[in-house]
Amino acid sequence: LQLNVDIPFQNPSAIKNLTVMLMSWHKERIYPKDLCFTPEHLNRSIEDGVFSVDVIVGSLALISRFWTGEHLLSLEVSTREIYERLSELGQKELLKRLQPVFQLILNLRKDTEDNNWEELLILTGESMDEKEYINDLSDSSPTGIRTQFWFCKAVLAYNLGFNSMAETLFHKIPNKDGLFQTRSFLLFPNTLYKALICCARYRETGSRTYLHKARKCRKLLEKYHSSGNPNATPHLHFAEAEELSSKSNNPAEVQSAFDNVIEIQAEHGLTHLEALANERASDANFHFGNQKAAKRYLDAAIHAYEEKRGETMKREWLLAKYDDSETE
């Protein structure tokens, strides 16, 4: 990969971080195993005088690890170390990039009293105060910062079943995303979650406009898949299964599609999507009246969320959702 940049690179880790971020767009699973960003690298960047280059790219790479299936406990530890060091250095702009993902991690691992899920929708806690963060945002704020914040909010709302809110939040994401949203691995989760939210809204409203939007997302993933981009593959299969489950009345067809998705996510190490695929398979079987299969997929989803991904909050949410559905 030839890097055409006008910034002097003196620190090898800076070059590696930028290469990882750009190469990850079309190289399968190039990170987090090839990622090189720790508090030690941060300190070395300061000493070498290339702080702005290495830390900006390294922070973005650290953020991207959330979407590659890494266990949230280890990611929480890494993120907290970098967050505390950047706070000490007074790097407010870099903290703005890191804060939403850090708080999203914390919320997904948080216990809530009395199943107060609305409380978890707010990105306020150890990392940030949401009201203050929003007050500091404006149209002149960097696109990447605005994209990261609203995307994290939309994903959190979708994960907690607030699909209408997730749609509204997604509309707040700037239309012209930056390099790391359009030419990095982040393109794929962004496109997939948009498709998932559209399918969820179709099931709630019956409006075929949502199916049309989901189909556009699927076709975009197909474009990158057909070009040989291996990172597009697991996201494309999930989008296809979700679109199918929203239209098909054939339980066996839908279950087979989700079984395929679950297997693919596991192969790619995308534990969060493996868990979500099991959750969606459970929902689909419950809708078709297959309680036994729904319970089996629910148990698999809880195991994947808790043990493989570390999203401890989802256990109670899923159990509460399933109990409420049975009561109804």
Side-chain angles (χ1 to χ4, degrees), residues 28-29 67-68 185 188-189 192 196 218 221-222 224-225 229-242 257-258 260-274 277:
E28 183 177 18
R29 299 292 295 165
W67 309 106
T68 61
F185 186 90
F188 302 115
L192 174 60
L196 294 175
R218 189 245 304 158
L221 293 171
E222 282 179 346
Y224 290 110
H225 173 71
N229 188 321
N231 283 312
T233 304
H235 297 84
L236 170 61
H237 283 283
F238 203 145
E240 289 175 337
E242 186 69 1
F258 276 118
N260 183 48
V261 172
I262 292 165
E263 182 179 351
I264 290 173
Q265 307 311 320
E267 289 175 355
H268 284 256
L270 301 177
T271 56
H272 57 304
L273 295 184
E274 179 188 350

mmCIF file of all heavy atoms in Angstrom, residues 28-29 67-68 185 188-189 192 196 218 221-222 224-225 229-242 257-258 260-274 277:
data_model
loop_
_atom_site.group_PDB
_atom_site.id
_atom_site.type_symbol
_atom_site.label_atom_id
_atom_site.label_comp_id
_atom_site.label_asym_id
_atom_site.label_seq_id
_atom_site.Cartn_x
_atom_site.Cartn_y
_atom_site.Cartn_z
ATOM 1 N N GLU A 28 -9.410 -8.980 4.997
ATOM 2 C CA GLU A 28 -10.192 -9.652 6.022
ATOM 3 C C GLU A 28 -9.448 -9.734 7.354
ATOM 4 O O GLU A 28 -8.300 -10.151 7.416
ATOM 5 C CB GLU A 28 -10.545 -11.067 5.546
ATOM 6 C CG GLU A 28 -11.442 -11.847 6.510
ATOM 7 C CD GLU A 28 -11.816 -13.199 5.934
ATOM 8 O OE1 GLU A 28 -11.138 -13.644 5.001
ATOM 9 O OE2 GLU A 28 -12.793 -13.774 6.427
ATOM 10 N N ARG A 29 -10.114 -9.299 8.419
ATOM 11 C CA ARG A 29 -9.639 -9.472 9.792
ATOM 12 C C ARG A 29 -8.217 -8.950 9.999
ATOM 13 O O ARG A 29 -7.414 -9.532 10.713
ATOM 14 C CB ARG A 29 -9.690 -10.944 10.205
ATOM 15 C CG ARG A 29 -11.087 -11.547 10.185
ATOM 16 C CD ARG A 29 -11.968 -10.965 11.240
ATOM 17 N NE ARG A 29 -11.467 -11.303 12.569
ATOM 18 C CZ ARG A 29 -11.847 -10.714 13.672
ATOM 19 N NH1 ARG A 29 -12.666 -9.704 13.625
ATOM 20 N NH2 ARG A 29 -11.365 -11.080 14.834
ATOM 21 N N TRP A 67 -16.315 -2.848 16.357
ATOM 22 C CA TRP A 67 -17.126 -3.463 15.316
ATOM 23 C C TRP A 67 -16.514 -4.733 14.753
ATOM 24 O O TRP A 67 -17.047 -5.292 13.780
ATOM 25 C CB TRP A 67 -17.364 -2.455 14.192
ATOM 26 C CG TRP A 67 -17.881 -1.158 14.717
ATOM 27 C CD1 TRP A 67 -17.186 0.013 14.829
ATOM 28 C CD2 TRP A 67 -19.187 -0.893 15.233
ATOM 29 N NE1 TRP A 67 -17.980 0.987 15.387
ATOM 30 C CE2 TRP A 67 -19.216 0.454 15.646
ATOM 31 C CE3 TRP A 67 -20.337 -1.672 15.385
ATOM 32 C CZ2 TRP A 67 -20.343 1.040 16.195
ATOM 33 C CZ3 TRP A 67 -21.460 -1.083 15.941
ATOM 34 C CH2 TRP A 67 -21.461 0.258 16.336
ATOM 35 N N THR A 68 -15.392 -5.204 15.299
ATOM 36 C CA THR A 68 -14.756 -6.407 14.770
ATOM 37 C C THR A 68 -14.947 -7.615 15.678
ATOM 38 O O THR A 68 -14.293 -8.634 15.497
ATOM 39 C CB THR A 68 -13.252 -6.177 14.546
ATOM 40 O OG1 THR A 68 -12.623 -5.863 15.789
ATOM 41 C CG2 THR A 68 -13.010 -5.048 13.557
ATOM 42 N N PHE A 185 -13.391 -0.329 7.376
ATOM 43 C CA PHE A 185 -14.292 -1.379 7.840
ATOM 44 C C PHE A 185 -15.616 -0.806 8.354
ATOM 45 O O PHE A 185 -16.648 -1.472 8.320
ATOM 46 C CB PHE A 185 -13.591 -2.163 8.948
ATOM 47 C CG PHE A 185 -14.347 -3.378 9.432
ATOM 48 C CD1 PHE A 185 -14.147 -4.613 8.837
ATOM 49 C CD2 PHE A 185 -15.250 -3.299 10.478
ATOM 50 C CE1 PHE A 185 -14.836 -5.732 9.279
ATOM 51 C CE2 PHE A 185 -15.933 -4.411 10.927
ATOM 52 C CZ PHE A 185 -15.726 -5.631 10.325
ATOM 53 N N PHE A 188 -19.195 -1.079 6.636
ATOM 54 C CA PHE A 188 -20.045 -2.269 6.640
ATOM 55 C C PHE A 188 -21.009 -2.324 7.829
ATOM 56 O O PHE A 188 -22.195 -2.582 7.630
ATOM 57 C CB PHE A 188 -19.178 -3.518 6.531
ATOM 58 C CG PHE A 188 -18.325 -3.508 5.299
ATOM 59 C CD1 PHE A 188 -16.954 -3.458 5.374
ATOM 60 C CD2 PHE A 188 -18.908 -3.507 4.042
ATOM 61 C CE1 PHE A 188 -16.172 -3.411 4.238
ATOM 62 C CE2 PHE A 188 -18.143 -3.467 2.886
ATOM 63 C CZ PHE A 188 -16.765 -3.413 2.987
ATOM 64 N N PRO A 189 -20.569 -2.098 9.070
ATOM 65 C CA PRO A 189 -21.555 -2.057 10.147
ATOM 66 C C PRO A 189 -22.546 -0.912 9.981
ATOM 67 O O PRO A 189 -23.736 -1.053 10.301
ATOM 68 C CB PRO A 189 -20.709 -1.881 11.417
ATOM 69 C CG PRO A 189 -19.367 -1.461 10.956
ATOM 70 C CD PRO A 189 -19.195 -2.034 9.594
ATOM 71 N N LEU A 192 -25.067 -2.160 7.387
ATOM 72 C CA LEU A 192 -25.877 -3.263 7.904
ATOM 73 C C LEU A 192 -26.903 -2.774 8.917
ATOM 74 O O LEU A 192 -28.080 -3.146 8.840
ATOM 75 C CB LEU A 192 -24.985 -4.328 8.545
ATOM 76 C CG LEU A 192 -25.750 -5.458 9.254
ATOM 77 C CD1 LEU A 192 -26.665 -6.205 8.282
ATOM 78 C CD2 LEU A 192 -24.790 -6.424 9.932
ATOM 79 N N LEU A 196 -30.917 -3.201 9.039
ATOM 80 C CA LEU A 196 -31.627 -3.849 10.148
ATOM 81 C C LEU A 196 -32.726 -2.949 10.706
ATOM 82 O O LEU A 196 -33.842 -3.401 10.994
ATOM 83 C CB LEU A 196 -30.636 -4.204 11.256
ATOM 84 C CG LEU A 196 -29.577 -5.260 10.944
ATOM 85 C CD1 LEU A 196 -28.604 -5.414 12.108
ATOM 86 C CD2 LEU A 196 -30.220 -6.595 10.606
ATOM 87 N N ARG A 218 -28.578 -3.486 1.067
ATOM 88 C CA ARG A 218 -28.121 -4.823 0.660
ATOM 89 C C ARG A 218 -27.368 -4.773 -0.670
ATOM 90 O O ARG A 218 -26.338 -5.426 -0.850
ATOM 91 C CB ARG A 218 -29.311 -5.765 0.563
ATOM 92 C CG ARG A 218 -28.924 -7.234 0.356
ATOM 93 C CD ARG A 218 -29.404 -7.734 -0.995
ATOM 94 N NE ARG A 218 -30.825 -7.555 -1.153
ATOM 95 C CZ ARG A 218 -31.426 -7.509 -2.345
ATOM 96 N NH1 ARG A 218 -30.711 -7.597 -3.453
ATOM 97 N NH2 ARG A 218 -32.732 -7.345 -2.446
ATOM 98 N N LEU A 221 -23.843 -3.541 -0.178
ATOM 99 C CA LEU A 221 -22.991 -4.615 0.340
ATOM 100 C C LEU A 221 -22.665 -5.628 -0.760
ATOM 101 O O LEU A 221 -21.559 -6.164 -0.816
ATOM 102 C CB LEU A 221 -23.681 -5.298 1.519
ATOM 103 C CG LEU A 221 -23.850 -4.439 2.774
ATOM 104 C CD1 LEU A 221 -24.737 -5.153 3.800
ATOM 105 C CD2 LEU A 221 -22.499 -4.109 3.387
ATOM 106 N N GLU A 222 -23.648 -5.893 -1.632
ATOM 107 C CA GLU A 222 -23.417 -6.803 -2.759
ATOM 108 C C GLU A 222 -22.312 -6.266 -3.669
ATOM 109 O O GLU A 222 -21.489 -7.033 -4.189
ATOM 110 C CB GLU A 222 -24.702 -6.982 -3.566
ATOM 111 C CG GLU A 222 -25.706 -7.921 -2.934
ATOM 112 C CD GLU A 222 -26.963 -8.046 -3.775
ATOM 113 O OE1 GLU A 222 -27.158 -7.207 -4.696
ATOM 114 O OE2 GLU A 222 -27.768 -8.960 -3.507
ATOM 115 N N TYR A 224 -19.674 -4.454 -2.905
ATOM 116 C CA TYR A 224 -18.343 -4.694 -2.349
ATOM 117 C C TYR A 224 -18.035 -6.188 -2.255
ATOM 118 O O TYR A 224 -16.891 -6.605 -2.405
ATOM 119 C CB TYR A 224 -18.225 -4.027 -0.978
ATOM 120 C CG TYR A 224 -18.183 -2.519 -1.088
ATOM 121 C CD1 TYR A 224 -19.247 -1.742 -0.653
ATOM 122 C CD2 TYR A 224 -17.080 -1.885 -1.652
ATOM 123 C CE1 TYR A 224 -19.215 -0.365 -0.771
ATOM 124 C CE2 TYR A 224 -17.044 -0.506 -1.776
ATOM 125 C CZ TYR A 224 -18.109 0.252 -1.337
ATOM 126 O OH TYR A 224 -18.077 1.624 -1.466
ATOM 127 N N HIS A 225 -19.053 -6.986 -2.017
ATOM 128 C CA HIS A 225 -18.858 -8.434 -1.980
ATOM 129 C C HIS A 225 -18.423 -8.948 -3.354
ATOM 130 O O HIS A 225 -17.496 -9.764 -3.464
ATOM 131 C CB HIS A 225 -20.149 -9.120 -1.547
ATOM 132 C CG HIS A 225 -20.102 -10.612 -1.625
ATOM 133 N ND1 HIS A 225 -19.359 -11.390 -0.767
ATOM 134 C CD2 HIS A 225 -20.713 -11.485 -2.488
ATOM 135 C CE1 HIS A 225 -19.503 -12.667 -1.081
ATOM 136 N NE2 HIS A 225 -20.319 -12.752 -2.113
ATOM 137 N N ASN A 229 -14.289 -8.049 -1.721
ATOM 138 C CA ASN A 229 -14.014 -7.550 -0.366
ATOM 139 C C ASN A 229 -14.557 -8.555 0.657
ATOM 140 O O ASN A 229 -15.774 -8.698 0.792
ATOM 141 C CB ASN A 229 -14.680 -6.192 -0.163
ATOM 142 C CG ASN A 229 -14.268 -5.530 1.137
ATOM 143 O OD1 ASN A 229 -14.124 -6.194 2.154
ATOM 144 N ND2 ASN A 229 -14.088 -4.215 1.105
ATOM 145 N N PRO A 230 -13.690 -9.264 1.372
ATOM 146 C CA PRO A 230 -14.161 -10.308 2.289
ATOM 147 C C PRO A 230 -14.915 -9.761 3.492
ATOM 148 O O PRO A 230 -15.729 -10.470 4.089
ATOM 149 C CB PRO A 230 -12.867 -11.002 2.729
ATOM 150 C CG PRO A 230 -11.822 -9.953 2.574
ATOM 151 C CD PRO A 230 -12.225 -9.140 1.382
ATOM 152 N N ASN A 231 -14.656 -8.497 3.885
ATOM 153 C CA ASN A 231 -15.371 -7.928 5.026
ATOM 154 C C ASN A 231 -16.840 -7.675 4.726
ATOM 155 O O ASN A 231 -17.658 -7.561 5.642
ATOM 156 C CB ASN A 231 -14.698 -6.621 5.454
ATOM 157 C CG ASN A 231 -13.431 -6.863 6.245
ATOM 158 O OD1 ASN A 231 -13.420 -7.663 7.162
ATOM 159 N ND2 ASN A 231 -12.353 -6.191 5.873
ATOM 160 N N ALA A 232 -17.185 -7.562 3.452
ATOM 161 C CA ALA A 232 -18.583 -7.334 3.083
ATOM 162 C C ALA A 232 -19.421 -8.599 3.254
ATOM 163 O O ALA A 232 -20.631 -8.520 3.488
ATOM 164 C CB ALA A 232 -18.667 -6.849 1.642
ATOM 165 N N THR A 233 -18.784 -9.755 3.157
ATOM 166 C CA THR A 233 -19.507 -11.034 3.113
ATOM 167 C C THR A 233 -20.414 -11.276 4.316
ATOM 168 O O THR A 233 -21.618 -11.533 4.142
ATOM 169 C CB THR A 233 -18.516 -12.196 2.951
ATOM 170 O OG1 THR A 233 -17.726 -11.976 1.782
ATOM 171 C CG2 THR A 233 -19.258 -13.523 2.832
ATOM 172 N N PRO A 234 -19.913 -11.237 5.561
ATOM 173 C CA PRO A 234 -20.806 -11.514 6.687
ATOM 174 C C PRO A 234 -21.917 -10.491 6.835
ATOM 175 O O PRO A 234 -23.046 -10.839 7.220
ATOM 176 C CB PRO A 234 -19.863 -11.494 7.898
ATOM 177 C CG PRO A 234 -18.688 -10.686 7.461
ATOM 178 C CD PRO A 234 -18.539 -10.962 5.997
ATOM 179 N N HIS A 235 -21.628 -9.239 6.506
ATOM 180 C CA HIS A 235 -22.656 -8.198 6.614
ATOM 181 C C HIS A 235 -23.719 -8.366 5.532
ATOM 182 O O HIS A 235 -24.915 -8.161 5.778
ATOM 183 C CB HIS A 235 -21.996 -6.819 6.514
ATOM 184 C CG HIS A 235 -21.035 -6.537 7.620
ATOM 185 N ND1 HIS A 235 -19.728 -6.968 7.588
ATOM 186 C CD2 HIS A 235 -21.186 -5.885 8.799
ATOM 187 C CE1 HIS A 235 -19.120 -6.585 8.701
ATOM 188 N NE2 HIS A 235 -19.971 -5.929 9.452
ATOM 189 N N LEU A 236 -23.291 -8.760 4.334
ATOM 190 C CA LEU A 236 -24.245 -8.988 3.252
ATOM 191 C C LEU A 236 -25.193 -10.133 3.591
ATOM 192 O O LEU A 236 -26.413 -10.005 3.424
ATOM 193 C CB LEU A 236 -23.490 -9.305 1.957
ATOM 194 C CG LEU A 236 -24.360 -9.799 0.780
ATOM 195 C CD1 LEU A 236 -25.388 -8.753 0.385
ATOM 196 C CD2 LEU A 236 -23.472 -10.175 -0.410
ATOM 197 N N HIS A 237 -24.661 -11.261 4.063
ATOM 198 C CA HIS A 237 -25.520 -12.411 4.375
ATOM 199 C C HIS A 237 -26.533 -12.069 5.464
ATOM 200 O O HIS A 237 -27.673 -12.545 5.429
ATOM 201 C CB HIS A 237 -24.661 -13.605 4.782
ATOM 202 C CG HIS A 237 -24.009 -14.309 3.635
ATOM 203 N ND1 HIS A 237 -24.690 -15.169 2.805
ATOM 204 C CD2 HIS A 237 -22.738 -14.269 3.153
ATOM 205 C CE1 HIS A 237 -23.885 -15.637 1.872
ATOM 206 N NE2 HIS A 237 -22.685 -15.102 2.057
ATOM 207 N N PHE A 238 -26.117 -11.262 6.408
ATOM 208 C CA PHE A 238 -27.050 -10.856 7.469
ATOM 209 C C PHE A 238 -28.155 -9.988 6.877
ATOM 210 O O PHE A 238 -29.348 -10.172 7.182
ATOM 211 C CB PHE A 238 -26.296 -10.087 8.568
ATOM 212 C CG PHE A 238 -26.992 -10.120 9.906
ATOM 213 C CD1 PHE A 238 -26.245 -10.157 11.076
ATOM 214 C CD2 PHE A 238 -28.382 -10.105 10.015
ATOM 215 C CE1 PHE A 238 -26.864 -10.194 12.331
ATOM 216 C CE2 PHE A 238 -29.016 -10.129 11.261
ATOM 217 C CZ PHE A 238 -28.256 -10.170 12.407
ATOM 218 N N ALA A 239 -27.791 -9.026 6.030
ATOM 219 C CA ALA A 239 -28.792 -8.161 5.409
ATOM 220 C C ALA A 239 -29.778 -8.965 4.567
ATOM 221 O O ALA A 239 -30.990 -8.691 4.559
ATOM 222 C CB ALA A 239 -28.105 -7.096 4.560
ATOM 223 N N GLU A 240 -29.283 -9.983 3.861
ATOM 224 C CA GLU A 240 -30.144 -10.824 3.032
ATOM 225 C C GLU A 240 -31.131 -11.609 3.895
ATOM 226 O O GLU A 240 -32.329 -11.693 3.571
ATOM 227 C CB GLU A 240 -29.290 -11.787 2.210
ATOM 228 C CG GLU A 240 -28.504 -11.135 1.088
ATOM 229 C CD GLU A 240 -27.567 -12.101 0.378
ATOM 230 O OE1 GLU A 240 -27.195 -13.121 0.999
ATOM 231 O OE2 GLU A 240 -27.219 -11.839 -0.782
ATOM 232 N N ALA A 241 -30.632 -12.185 4.993
ATOM 233 C CA ALA A 241 -31.504 -12.972 5.872
ATOM 234 C C ALA A 241 -32.556 -12.087 6.533
ATOM 235 O O ALA A 241 -33.720 -12.485 6.672
ATOM 236 C CB ALA A 241 -30.669 -13.686 6.936
ATOM 237 N N GLU A 242 -32.159 -10.901 6.907
ATOM 238 C CA GLU A 242 -33.096 -9.989 7.564
ATOM 239 C C GLU A 242 -34.188 -9.547 6.595
ATOM 240 O O GLU A 242 -35.369 -9.473 6.960
ATOM 241 C CB GLU A 242 -32.336 -8.767 8.096
ATOM 242 C CG GLU A 242 -33.171 -7.818 8.921
ATOM 243 C CD GLU A 242 -33.593 -8.384 10.251
ATOM 244 O OE1 GLU A 242 -33.230 -9.536 10.574
ATOM 245 O OE2 GLU A 242 -34.309 -7.678 10.997
ATOM 246 N N ALA A 257 -31.809 -19.563 6.553
ATOM 247 C CA ALA A 257 -31.049 -18.347 6.243
ATOM 248 C C ALA A 257 -30.305 -17.852 7.474
ATOM 249 O O ALA A 257 -29.116 -17.494 7.408
ATOM 250 C CB ALA A 257 -31.979 -17.264 5.709
ATOM 251 N N PHE A 258 -30.977 -17.836 8.626
ATOM 252 C CA PHE A 258 -30.331 -17.367 9.853
ATOM 253 C C PHE A 258 -29.274 -18.349 10.346
ATOM 254 O O PHE A 258 -28.246 -17.929 10.892
ATOM 255 C CB PHE A 258 -31.366 -17.086 10.944
ATOM 256 C CG PHE A 258 -31.973 -15.721 10.845
ATOM 257 C CD1 PHE A 258 -33.335 -15.558 10.635
ATOM 258 C CD2 PHE A 258 -31.188 -14.585 10.970
ATOM 259 C CE1 PHE A 258 -33.904 -14.298 10.538
ATOM 260 C CE2 PHE A 258 -31.745 -13.316 10.873
ATOM 261 C CZ PHE A 258 -33.106 -13.171 10.649
ATOM 262 N N ASN A 260 -27.348 -20.035 8.465
ATOM 263 C CA ASN A 260 -26.205 -19.724 7.615
ATOM 264 C C ASN A 260 -25.497 -18.458 8.112
ATOM 265 O O ASN A 260 -24.261 -18.404 8.177
ATOM 266 C CB ASN A 260 -26.664 -19.542 6.174
ATOM 267 C CG ASN A 260 -25.515 -19.280 5.224
ATOM 268 O OD1 ASN A 260 -24.510 -19.972 5.243
ATOM 269 N ND2 ASN A 260 -25.661 -18.255 4.378
ATOM 270 N N VAL A 261 -26.272 -17.453 8.474
ATOM 271 C CA VAL A 261 -25.704 -16.195 8.972
ATOM 272 C C VAL A 261 -24.938 -16.425 10.268
ATOM 273 O O VAL A 261 -23.822 -15.914 10.447
ATOM 274 C CB VAL A 261 -26.816 -15.144 9.193
ATOM 275 C CG1 VAL A 261 -26.258 -13.913 9.899
ATOM 276 C CG2 VAL A 261 -27.436 -14.739 7.871
ATOM 277 N N ILE A 262 -25.517 -17.178 11.171
ATOM 278 C CA ILE A 262 -24.875 -17.452 12.460
ATOM 279 C C ILE A 262 -23.526 -18.134 12.243
ATOM 280 O O ILE A 262 -22.523 -17.781 12.872
ATOM 281 C CB ILE A 262 -25.797 -18.324 13.345
ATOM 282 C CG1 ILE A 262 -27.031 -17.525 13.771
ATOM 283 C CG2 ILE A 262 -25.044 -18.836 14.571
ATOM 284 C CD1 ILE A 262 -28.146 -18.378 14.335
ATOM 285 N N GLU A 263 -23.509 -19.103 11.347
ATOM 286 C CA GLU A 263 -22.263 -19.822 11.048
ATOM 287 C C GLU A 263 -21.207 -18.883 10.454
ATOM 288 O O GLU A 263 -20.028 -18.933 10.840
ATOM 289 C CB GLU A 263 -22.556 -20.972 10.073
ATOM 290 C CG GLU A 263 -21.328 -21.813 9.738
ATOM 291 C CD GLU A 263 -21.648 -22.957 8.790
ATOM 292 O OE1 GLU A 263 -22.852 -23.197 8.519
ATOM 293 O OE2 GLU A 263 -20.700 -23.598 8.294
ATOM 294 N N ILE A 264 -21.619 -18.020 9.554
ATOM 295 C CA ILE A 264 -20.682 -17.095 8.903
ATOM 296 C C ILE A 264 -20.118 -16.087 9.901
ATOM 297 O O ILE A 264 -18.913 -15.803 9.900
ATOM 298 C CB ILE A 264 -21.375 -16.366 7.728
ATOM 299 C CG1 ILE A 264 -21.632 -17.345 6.596
ATOM 300 C CG2 ILE A 264 -20.521 -15.184 7.239
ATOM 301 C CD1 ILE A 264 -22.449 -16.772 5.458
ATOM 302 N N GLN A 265 -20.976 -15.548 10.772
ATOM 303 C CA GLN A 265 -20.493 -14.579 11.764
ATOM 304 C C GLN A 265 -19.478 -15.243 12.702
ATOM 305 O O GLN A 265 -18.464 -14.627 13.070
ATOM 306 C CB GLN A 265 -21.652 -14.001 12.593
ATOM 307 C CG GLN A 265 -22.792 -13.408 11.799
ATOM 308 C CD GLN A 265 -22.363 -12.439 10.720
ATOM 309 O OE1 GLN A 265 -21.460 -11.628 10.901
ATOM 310 N NE2 GLN A 265 -23.012 -12.523 9.556
ATOM 311 N N ALA A 266 -19.744 -16.486 13.076
ATOM 312 C CA ALA A 266 -18.813 -17.213 13.947
ATOM 313 C C ALA A 266 -17.470 -17.429 13.250
ATOM 314 O O ALA A 266 -16.410 -17.285 13.861
ATOM 315 C CB ALA A 266 -19.421 -18.545 14.373
ATOM 316 N N GLU A 267 -17.517 -17.756 11.969
ATOM 317 C CA GLU A 267 -16.286 -17.973 11.201
ATOM 318 C C GLU A 267 -15.447 -16.700 11.124
ATOM 319 O O GLU A 267 -14.216 -16.754 11.166
ATOM 320 C CB GLU A 267 -16.626 -18.452 9.782
ATOM 321 C CG GLU A 267 -17.165 -19.870 9.715
ATOM 322 C CD GLU A 267 -17.589 -20.254 8.311
ATOM 323 O OE1 GLU A 267 -17.543 -19.367 7.419
ATOM 324 O OE2 GLU A 267 -17.970 -21.415 8.098
ATOM 325 N N HIS A 268 -16.096 -15.560 11.020
ATOM 326 C CA HIS A 268 -15.400 -14.277 10.905
ATOM 327 C C HIS A 268 -15.071 -13.670 12.267
ATOM 328 O O HIS A 268 -14.434 -12.612 12.330
ATOM 329 C CB HIS A 268 -16.240 -13.293 10.093
ATOM 330 C CG HIS A 268 -16.220 -13.542 8.611
ATOM 331 N ND1 HIS A 268 -15.498 -12.773 7.734
ATOM 332 C CD2 HIS A 268 -16.826 -14.500 7.863
ATOM 333 C CE1 HIS A 268 -15.658 -13.230 6.504
ATOM 334 N NE2 HIS A 268 -16.459 -14.283 6.555
ATOM 335 N N GLY A 269 -15.505 -14.303 13.341
ATOM 336 C CA GLY A 269 -15.208 -13.782 14.667
ATOM 337 C C GLY A 269 -16.020 -12.568 15.054
ATOM 338 O O GLY A 269 -15.674 -11.859 16.002
ATOM 339 N N LEU A 270 -17.104 -12.304 14.338
ATOM 340 C CA LEU A 270 -17.950 -11.146 14.636
ATOM 341 C C LEU A 270 -18.986 -11.564 15.686
ATOM 342 O O LEU A 270 -20.155 -11.815 15.383
ATOM 343 C CB LEU A 270 -18.616 -10.639 13.358
ATOM 344 C CG LEU A 270 -17.643 -10.203 12.249
ATOM 345 C CD1 LEU A 270 -18.397 -9.794 10.986
ATOM 346 C CD2 LEU A 270 -16.761 -9.053 12.725
ATOM 347 N N THR A 271 -18.544 -11.629 16.922
ATOM 348 C CA THR A 271 -19.374 -12.188 17.988
ATOM 349 C C THR A 271 -20.654 -11.387 18.227
ATOM 350 O O THR A 271 -21.686 -11.953 18.584
ATOM 351 C CB THR A 271 -18.574 -12.264 19.295
ATOM 352 O OG1 THR A 271 -18.069 -10.956 19.614
ATOM 353 C CG2 THR A 271 -17.400 -13.218 19.161
ATOM 354 N N HIS A 272 -20.580 -10.064 18.044
ATOM 355 C CA HIS A 272 -21.770 -9.242 18.257
ATOM 356 C C HIS A 272 -22.836 -9.542 17.210
ATOM 357 O O HIS A 272 -24.037 -9.560 17.527
ATOM 358 C CB HIS A 272 -21.416 -7.751 18.249
ATOM 359 C CG HIS A 272 -20.741 -7.287 17.004
ATOM 360 N ND1 HIS A 272 -19.584 -7.852 16.523
ATOM 361 C CD2 HIS A 272 -21.067 -6.302 16.124
ATOM 362 C CE1 HIS A 272 -19.224 -7.233 15.412
ATOM 363 N NE2 HIS A 272 -20.108 -6.295 15.151
ATOM 364 N N LEU A 273 -22.410 -9.827 15.976
ATOM 365 C CA LEU A 273 -23.374 -10.177 14.933
ATOM 366 C C LEU A 273 -23.827 -11.622 15.050
ATOM 367 O O LEU A 273 -24.965 -11.948 14.696
ATOM 368 C CB LEU A 273 -22.761 -9.917 13.551
ATOM 369 C CG LEU A 273 -22.443 -8.456 13.226
ATOM 370 C CD1 LEU A 273 -21.942 -8.313 11.795
ATOM 371 C CD2 LEU A 273 -23.655 -7.552 13.461
ATOM 372 N N GLU A 274 -22.976 -12.488 15.558
ATOM 373 C CA GLU A 274 -23.393 -13.865 15.839
ATOM 374 C C GLU A 274 -24.503 -13.870 16.888
ATOM 375 O O GLU A 274 -25.521 -14.571 16.745
ATOM 376 C CB GLU A 274 -22.197 -14.682 16.335
ATOM 377 C CG GLU A 274 -22.546 -16.121 16.680
ATOM 378 C CD GLU A 274 -21.408 -16.865 17.361
ATOM 379 O OE1 GLU A 274 -20.280 -16.329 17.400
ATOM 380 O OE2 GLU A 274 -21.647 -17.995 17.863
ATOM 381 N N ALA A 277 -27.668 -12.329 15.336
ATOM 382 C CA ALA A 277 -28.310 -13.252 14.397
ATOM 383 C C ALA A 277 -29.116 -14.307 15.147
ATOM 384 O O ALA A 277 -30.223 -14.675 14.734
ATOM 385 C CB ALA A 277 -27.260 -13.916 13.511
#
